[in-house]
Amino acid sequence: MAHIRLVSVSKKYYKNRPLIPGASEGEEEVIMALDGVNLEIRDGETMSILGPSGCGKTTLLRVVAGLEKPDGGYVLFNGEDMENVPPRDRHIGIVFQNYALYPHMESQQNIGFFFKLHDREDEIPERVHAVSKIMGIGFDKLLDRRPPTLSGGEQQRVAVARCIARDPSLFLFDEPLSNLDAKLRVQTRGELKRILARYATTGLYVTHDQYEAFALGDRLAVMNLGRVEQVGTYTDLYYKPVNLFVAEFLGVPPMNTFRGYVNDRGGWSGDDFQWPIIRPGLEEGDRVVVGIRPEHIRVEESAHSVPAVVDLIEPLFAERAKLLYTKIGLTRCNVRVGEAFPAKVGDTLPLTFQLDELHFFDTRTGARLG
Ligand SMILES: Nc1ncnc2c1ncn2[C@@H]1O[C@H](COP(=O)(O)OP(=O)(O)OP(=O)(O)O)[C@@H](O)[C@H]1O
Ligand SMILES: [Mg+2]
């Protein structure tokens, strides 16, 4: 059982720390890899950590694992402060992006190494046998091979097996699938999900792939610049993003966002078009960003439709849909239509926005309005 809590955790790195200590002190540029992170991972849940490159995901995982010391704040496991608990006593299993298998050891030695290290060598055969059954068909064929002779996908399976053989209370995954090709990634993702569900072990799953984050995480935390922007289920994040960053980060393709202001008719005006409505509570002159997802725009004439020119068309085969990249004047707007929709590049189409699906954000702070 593991219930994890991070309280105001900060971690800073120094960019180009001078080689001679004190040499150019004060001029060092500080990177806040983690900037006051508060996060709770409930017992038995898998939390996906999603965010762009460099936002602090790996740092977060390393701090939870005890491989990095935070500069501020606390990491609590079941309410206990982990400050003085070394990684090996935290009952964690980690799978790194590059798998970090010992190259000179056969897979079964890789899996058993932890037990050898802890004078529990007699457990190894049973552990290897058990984990090999869990990992499924064909895994036993990998046991007597060394990592350099294995494919990326096979190494990944060995790394996961090594992690679960230790029976950890907490799984930590750092983009474990990113080296696999698209097909294998989906397959392995399913395998991993089954394993996670079977063990009901608490887990942290770091990725910058939204599909993976949704598929594996019970809840998601979206990070940006060392901060957690929002935590919630996929539905929470997708339909009620707390700010512009989350709104624009989630969704493939992402939400359309338009900058504008509240006009003297109580509506909203952008650079190239206007809307008759605005959220109550806003005043004339307020600068507001309006957002709408591509699937919430219909191609049809209406009292409020605006003309858009099709710029580019992209098929979305799996969804039996097409994505139209359009321009309303100079404003770009992506629209999702059914695969049979007869659009050509250069066509002018009337776009009707579903007004109840609009999102409003403060231009200055990016915060959601209402
Ligand atoms: N050892 C280090 N020294 C200096 N800066 C570092 C160090 N490790 C990480 N950083 C910086 O801290 C920030 C967060 O890095 P981190 O590796 O946690 O990002 P990430 O979200 O895992 O990114 P990616 O998706 O590319 O793996 C980045 O700006 C990175 O350049
Ligand atoms: Mg990383």
Side-chain angles (χ1 to χ4, degrees), residues 5 169 188 287 298 329-330 336 338 358 369:
R5 217 149 74 88
S169 308
T188 317
R287 303 180 67 75
R298 286 195 303 271
L330 292 174
R336 223 176 92 137
L358 296 180
L369 300 168

Side-chain angles (χ1 to χ4, degrees), residues 13-14 31 33 51-60 97 175 208:
Y13 288 117
Y14 296 93
I31 299 169
S53 186
C55 72
K57 304 182 295 296
T58 297
T59 307
L60 178 80
Q97 180 171 353
E175 313 219 19
H208 58 253

Side-chain angles (χ1 to χ4, degrees), residues 338-349:
E339 65 179 345
F341 188 86
K344 293 189 308 298
V345 170
D347 284 356
T348 300
L349 305 172

Side-chain angles (χ1 to χ4, degrees), residues 91-110:
H91 302 286
I92 46 177
I94 314 183
V95 180
F96 293 104
Q97 180 171 353
N98 58 8
Y99 313 135
L101 294 169
Y102 307 112
H104 57 289
M105 291 184 200
E106 291 170 359
S107 302
Q108 52 194 338
Q109 295 168 318
N110 260 290

Side-chain angles (χ1 to χ4, degrees), residues 134-318:
I134 295 160
M135 294 307 294
I137 308 161
F139 188 78
D140 48 350
K141 295 204 174 55
L142 308 178
L143 288 174
D144 58 356
R145 292 171 59 187
R146 293 197 186 95
T149 73
L150 300 175
S151 75
E154 290 165 343
Q155 290 184 40
Q156 196 272 348
R157 295 179 81 195
V158 174
V160 171
R162 180 174 67 172
C163 166
I164 61 180
R166 296 168 57 161
D167 216 358
S169 308
L170 176 65
F171 281 124
L172 300 176
F173 295 103
D174 192 358
E175 313 219 19
L177 310 184
S178 57
N179 289 334
L180 309 184
D181 68 45
K183 187 172 167 207
L184 199 55
R185 203 179 316 155
V186 172
Q187 202 178 319
T188 317
R189 185 170 88 191
E191 208 168 89
L192 215 51
K193 190 170 172 80
R194 267 195 298 282
I195 290 170
L196 286 169
R198 172 186 174 137
Y199 281 85
T201 301
T202 313
L204 260 176
Y205 190 95
V206 162
T207 178
H208 58 253
D209 180 326
Q210 311 189 16
Y211 291 111
E212 229 170 274
F214 301 151
L216 287 161
D218 299 304
R219 290 193 301 153
L220 288 88
V222 176
M223 286 187 70
N224 178 33
L225 300 171
R227 285 188 295 272
V228 171
E229 300 279 359
Q230 190 172 5
V231 180
T233 61
Y234 167 71
T235 316
D236 298 336
L237 272 59
Y238 195 79
Y239 292 101
K240 270 211 159 183
V242 293
N243 59 33
L244 210 46
F245 177 81
V246 177
E248 290 180 326
F249 190 72
L250 289 187
V252 185
M255 185 185 282
N256 296 295
T257 51
F258 311 114
R259 272 128 191 95
Y261 62 94
V262 179
N263 61 33
D264 57 3
R265 296 174 302 285
W268 174 90
S269 291
D271 293 338
D272 295 292
F273 59 101
Q274 311 185 346
W275 269 313
I277 65 144
I278 192 76
R279 265 197 70 256
L282 292 172
E283 291 175 13
E284 185 182 337
D286 281 353
R287 303 180 67 75
V288 176
V289 177
V290 178
I292 186 154
R293 298 206 177 271
E295 61 269 33
H296 295 142
I297 302 173
R298 286 195 303 271
V299 180
E300 66 181 37
E301 293 282 359
S302 72
H304 316 308
S305 59
V306 291
V309 179
V310 179
D311 214 18
L312 200 77
I313 302 175
E314 205 175 87
L316 302 168
F317 292 114

